[in-house]
Amino acid sequence: MSYQVLYRRFRPTKFSEVAGQDHITAILKNQIITKKISHAYLFSGSRGTGKTSTAKIFARAVNCFDPQDGEPCGICEYCTKIKDNAMSDIIEIDAASNRGIDEIRDLKDKVNYLPSLGKYRVYIIDEVHMLTTEAFNALLKTLEEPPEHIIFIFATTEPQKILPTILSRCQRFDFARLSQQIIVSTLQYALNELGISPDEDALYLIAANSDGAMRDAFSFADKAINIAKENMLTLRDVQDALGLADGADVYRLAEALVQEDIAAVFDHLNQIMSKGTDVGQITNQLIEYFRSLMIYCNTPNPTPILGTNGPLIQSLEQCGKNIPADLLVSYITVLSKTKTDARFLPHPRYLLETALMSLSDRNQIMDRISLNARVDRLERQIEQLKTGAITVKSSQPSAKIPMEKSETTQNISAKPKAAAEKTPAAKDIEIPQPNKDLIAKAQAAIEFAAKFIHNRDRDILLADIFRGLKVEAFDGTTVYLYPTGTAVHMMDIYHSKGGEAKLTPILHDQLGMPVAIVITDHTHKRKEPKKDPIEKAKEIFGNLEELD
């Protein structure tokens, strides 16, 4: 006999053998026992969860001459002919290749034929969502009032693509992804039947990469046992079969990243890549590691989720000491984005190295998280200010926006005082006479600074403040600015975010000269230009004729 792949060899033949779908098989068995059989069923769920296998078992059970507790007996004439593939009462149709209206018309003509031996003719239509709209519409009438001897079973991975008129005519059953424990126990049984002794860690690694699909798990196991030696399936065998980096290498890389040892990070990454592991696979394993760390740190009993991998648990225990949840979220978020972006680059390794470099400074990450949260809160409050949801006192020259009492807002309100001490008192400022050309040039530089801060630093808040600054005067060495609009109420934020320090070099670059910045309230007395003494005398004494 030729070799059969594992998922075919261990395909379930009874409802009791269907793994992880007890909520469905119990209902189907009761329908057979009570003889309350529907005319149409829809089995939906992700790949490899047992939809087609359950459909075949149900088709055998409804026609079995002597069902046992809702299960096909396996020994009657009908069950025997099914095993020998000598029965035409169960028709399997692949909707992906028979999706047109002509195929459905042909099916409608054939449904009138009576079954050859059993009570029902069962049509199993796989990937039914691939049928065209016209084909669905042609099937509607037959589906609504089929002959008594016809049962339709539709299987699909994308039920949302099926017409509502079809869905309403079917009993729908949603197949769940299989848990790791179920996959591990099923693989354990199958491999023991083959005389192979697997390591538990190897089975959990297969289950983790199967995404809840039993068929995928069997396929991975098939690859791994081909390189296993002496009927022993080890963790290393599975890693080699799936093209994964050695788990210990990945653990060391992640530990170095958490410890902010960037030299060790690059060293471990180079060692892993020198063994031929793909960049995408390394990124996937790092994401999986930090996901495991997140579960380990936030779950009292992580074993049912993570398994009993000793080295992994030891590594998680070491890295999980005093690590903030926000930091773990940042690790996973940045690495996930790196995985997506790396697909479009000729050298994805460079992008991964850059991502690891950015993640190696914990303080910088936490500062960025804190700043983003603060900016988001301030932007919401500014929007409330614009819409009138909150108000400020107009008597204050620089009114503060009401904010939540927190350490963050206390820091913001504390900084402007120091900055204000450096600014000359309002009554001491004398504004020079305006020069339209210089003012226009300085205002253009301010507009450029707003765009620059918005695009380079992604600091939307500070960019909005810059846009609200208007040039009152510019004498070639000092730019006198006054806030307008919402910027009037945001000058504390301007100072706290180092607005002057960021604006000064941009103005220097745009104006071609070093300049100082003075913030005014637009109410100061301007400097009067110095007049010629003779002209001043003329104003006092009039135009006297010159004496000889």
Side-chain angles (χ1 to χ4, degrees):
M1 180 180 177
S2 60
Y3 177 76
Q4 266 191 321
V5 293
L6 294 183
Y7 80 84
R8 292 186 59 192
R9 182 169 180 176
F10 293 97
R11 182 188 291 273
T13 57
K14 294 182 179 181
F15 287 123
S16 59
E17 297 174 0
V18 178
Q21 311 298 343
D22 295 343
H23 62 294
I24 295 173
T25 57
I27 296 174
L28 297 179
K29 287 169 66 176
N30 285 334
Q31 287 187 355
I32 295 169
I33 293 171
T34 59
K35 302 186 184 304
K36 295 180 179 178
I37 310 298
S38 178
H39 66 279
Y41 296 86
L42 175 65
F43 293 169
S44 65
S46 59
R47 69 185 190 278
T49 52
K51 299 183 297 295
T52 306
S53 296
T54 303
K56 291 180 177 180
I57 296 170
F58 184 74
R60 290 197 296 270
V62 295
N63 285 309
C64 180
F65 295 155
D66 185 24
Q68 304 293 320
D69 192 26
E71 300 271 17
C73 68
I75 57 176
C76 68
E77 180 184 1
Y78 191 90
C79 291
T80 303
K81 288 191 174 183
I82 284 291
K83 287 181 181 179
D84 297 335
N85 294 320
M87 184 56 62
S88 60
D89 290 344
I90 301 177
I91 301 97
E92 293 187 55
I93 300 175
D94 176 24
S97 54
N98 297 278
R99 60 193 305 265
I101 190 171
D102 292 334
E103 288 82 358
I104 298 302
R105 285 173 177 167
D106 182 59
L107 183 149
K108 289 174 62 179
D109 293 337
K110 293 179 179 178
V111 296
N112 294 317
Y113 298 156
L114 294 173
S116 60
L117 182 60
K119 186 178 180 181
Y120 296 99
R121 281 173 64 88
V122 183
Y123 285 88
I124 301 173
I125 304 181
D126 201 9
E127 300 299 335
V128 70
H129 64 273
M130 297 293 288
L131 290 179
T132 63
T133 302
E134 293 78 8
F136 273 128
N137 290 331
L139 188 60
L140 278 178
K141 189 63 177 176
T142 302
L143 191 61
E144 185 173 10
E145 298 177 359
E148 292 184 356
H149 61 273
I150 292 296
I151 296 175
F152 288 105
I153 302 178
F154 302 136
T156 180
T157 54
E158 300 184 57
Q160 72 278 3
K161 293 185 178 181
I162 300 176
L163 295 180
T165 48
I166 296 292
L167 293 174
S168 63
R169 290 166 167 80
C170 302
Q171 284 192 14
R172 177 172 172 174
F173 294 91
D174 293 322
F175 284 67
R177 281 187 169 90
L178 276 63
S179 67
Q180 289 193 15
Q181 287 72 25
I182 291 176
I183 292 177
V184 167
S185 61
T186 305
L187 287 175
Q188 181 81 55
Y189 168 79
L191 294 178
N192 287 341
E193 287 290 307
L194 297 175
I196 297 174
S197 298
D199 291 345
E200 187 177 27
D201 292 346
L203 296 182
Y204 269 103
L205 182 58
I206 291 176
N209 284 272
S210 300
D211 195 25
M214 196 67 239
R215 184 169 60 239
D216 287 6
F218 275 131
S219 296
F220 293 152
D222 246 331
K223 291 174 62 179
I225 61 178
N226 284 324
I227 58 176
K229 299 178 180 178
E230 299 179 357
N231 292 331
M232 293 288 294
L233 183 63
T234 65
L235 179 63
R236 183 68 257 175
D237 294 333
V238 175
Q239 290 171 344
D240 290 342
L242 301 185
L244 303 177
D246 190 306
D249 291 339
V250 176
Y251 304 158
R252 285 192 288 269
L253 172 58
E255 290 165 6
L257 187 60
V258 172
Q259 294 166 5
E260 303 178 77
D261 187 349
I262 189 60
V265 167
F266 287 145
D267 183 51
H268 292 313
L269 178 62
N270 186 62
Q271 290 179 19
I272 295 173
M273 296 216 46
S274 65
K275 297 177 182 179
T277 308
D278 179 68
V279 170
Q281 191 60 62
I282 298 173
T283 310
N284 282 337
Q285 289 183 255
L286 284 173
I287 294 171
E288 177 65 24
Y289 179 89
F290 288 116
R291 173 253 183 190
S292 300
L293 184 57
M294 180 173 60
I295 292 172
Y296 180 84
C297 294
N298 295 278
T299 306
N301 181 24
T303 302
I305 304 174
L306 303 179
T308 57
N309 186 340
L312 173 62
I313 299 300
Q314 291 175 4
S315 177
L316 297 179
E317 184 178 357
Q318 178 180 344
C319 290
K321 298 175 181 177
N322 301 321
I323 187 167
D326 288 342
L327 187 63
L328 288 174
V329 173
S330 294
Y331 284 156
I332 296 174
T333 302
V334 172
L335 289 171
S336 298
K337 186 177 186 303
T338 300
K339 174 187 173 183
T340 301
D341 295 345
R343 296 180 301 166
F344 308 104
L345 295 178
H347 301 289
R349 176 176 179 171
Y350 302 164
L351 187 61
L352 177 58
E353 291 171 340
T354 304
L356 294 176
M357 183 73 184
S358 68
L359 292 174
S360 64
D361 189 340
R362 179 181 298 193
N363 292 331
Q364 184 180 15
I365 296 173
M366 297 308 296
D367 288 345
R368 188 162 57 244
I369 293 172
S370 176
L371 179 60
N372 290 339
R374 179 171 39 174
V375 170
D376 289 342
R377 183 166 60 253
L378 291 174
E379 287 180 342
R380 287 195 301 269
Q381 291 168 342
I382 290 169
E383 287 301 319
Q384 291 175 342
L385 181 64
K386 290 180 179 178
T387 58
I390 57 176
T391 58
V392 295
K393 295 180 180 179
S394 59
S395 60
Q396 298 289 339
S398 180
K400 295 180 181 179
I401 301 172
M403 300 174 67
E404 301 172 3
K405 293 294 183 181
S406 65
E407 181 182 353
T408 304
T409 56
Q410 289 173 4
N411 292 338
I412 292 179
S413 60
K415 293 181 181 179
K417 296 180 180 179
E421 292 174 357
K422 300 177 183 179
T423 304
K427 62 182 181 181
D428 297 333
I429 299 177
E430 293 184 346
I431 307 299
Q433 287 295 311
N435 182 308
K436 292 183 179 179
D437 293 336
L438 289 177
I439 288 177
K441 187 176 180 181
Q443 191 65 55
I446 294 291
E447 294 296 329
F448 174 84
K451 294 178 182 178
F452 184 79
I453 291 296
H454 184 283
N455 295 331
R456 186 195 68 173
D457 296 347
R458 301 295 181 188
D459 196 333
I460 301 174
L461 189 59
L462 191 57
D464 284 342
I465 296 175
F466 283 1
R467 291 189 185 97
L469 296 177
K470 302 302 178 185
V471 179
E472 185 172 4
F474 177 37
D475 60 7
T477 58
T478 304
V479 180
Y480 297 86
L481 304 173
Y482 65 93
T484 63
T486 57
V488 172
H489 311 296
M490 297 164 63
M491 295 312 295
D492 285 349
I493 302 172
Y494 166 84
H495 292 298
S496 69
K497 294 172 77 69
E500 183 173 336
K502 294 181 179 180
L503 182 58
T504 301
I506 300 176
L507 294 184
H508 183 182
D509 179 69
Q510 292 297 303
L511 298 174
M513 63 186 75
V515 294
I517 296 175
V518 175
I519 303 295
T520 76
D521 61 4
H522 199 40
T523 60
H524 308 300
K525 188 175 180 180
R526 298 184 182 278
K527 289 182 180 179
E528 294 294 334
K530 294 182 179 180
K531 295 183 178 180
D532 184 73
I534 296 176
E535 294 297 328
K536 192 171 183 179
K538 287 181 179 180
E539 289 181 3
I540 297 173
F541 301 106
N543 292 323
L544 299 177
E545 295 182 1
E546 185 177 351
L547 299 176
D548 294 333

